[in-house]
Amino acid sequence: MEKNVRRYSAFIPRWCQAFGDHAPDPGGEGRAVEWLVGADAVGIVVLPEIRRMLTHELLGARNPELEFNARSVRLNQRTFDQMNILGHPGYAALRELLLGADQLHLFLTYHLIHPPGTRIITVARKPPLPLLYKEMAPLPVIVSE
């Protein structure tokens, strides 16, 4: 199944809205990937060096290619297939969101429980605040079984 996810970047760099209520990820801070699962959104906090690469690829000017499989994720030429990440309930929630929502939105958020400067790559059913974000070209996402 292919979906177009609407992408947004902040009008002012480093400004973003709060992620909001979510289920805690036990032990998430000790891992390379921490999942935030809310009622209508899934967020991913990754190590800063990985976040810079992901942010550049997903929210940069280029048109990225993103494919979610049951056992891997491909972003352009990179394939991620670490089962400790892909087997996590947060990844399952993200796949469910991708498969179930008619319209999705991708943007950066923050949360007060994380250190200053931490950004959360967020996929949500609701668009971000138009006062803070401008829309970019959509992100085509392939989700396969």
Side-chain angles (χ1 to χ4, degrees), residues 57-138:
E57 295 285 332
L58 291 171
L59 295 168
R62 296 180 41 210
N63 291 327
E65 296 176 11
L66 186 59
E67 182 175 356
F68 285 85
N69 294 303
R71 300 185 192 277
S72 67
V73 174
R74 183 183 61 79
L75 175 58
N76 296 330
Q77 302 304 317
R78 293 180 176 93
T79 298
F80 304 93
D81 58 1
Q82 297 176 347
M83 287 312 295
N84 62 338
I85 294 170
L86 302 179
H88 192 279
Y91 182 73
L94 178 58
R95 280 184 55 86
E96 184 178 315
L97 190 63
L98 288 167
L99 290 169
D102 290 334
Q103 192 171 88
L104 290 171
H105 308 272
L106 174 69
F107 51 98
L108 294 179
T109 59
Y110 80 98
H111 201 283
L112 293 174
I113 63 170
H114 294 284
T118 300
R119 292 297 175 255
I120 304 162
I121 300 169
T122 302
V123 177
R125 291 181 194 269
K126 298 177 184 176
L129 298 170
L131 180 64
L132 297 176
Y133 298 88
K134 58 186 170 195
E135 190 166 357
M136 308 166 60

Side-chain angles (χ1 to χ4, degrees), residues 7-42:
R7 299 186 303 159
Y8 301 84
S9 64
F11 282 113
I12 299 172
R14 292 184 248 170
W15 279 29
C16 54
Q17 72 185 42
F19 183 83
D21 291 337
H22 62 280
D25 183 0
E29 292 182 36
R31 294 191 311 261
V33 175
E34 180 178 353
W35 296 92
L36 286 71
V37 179
D40 292 319
V42 175

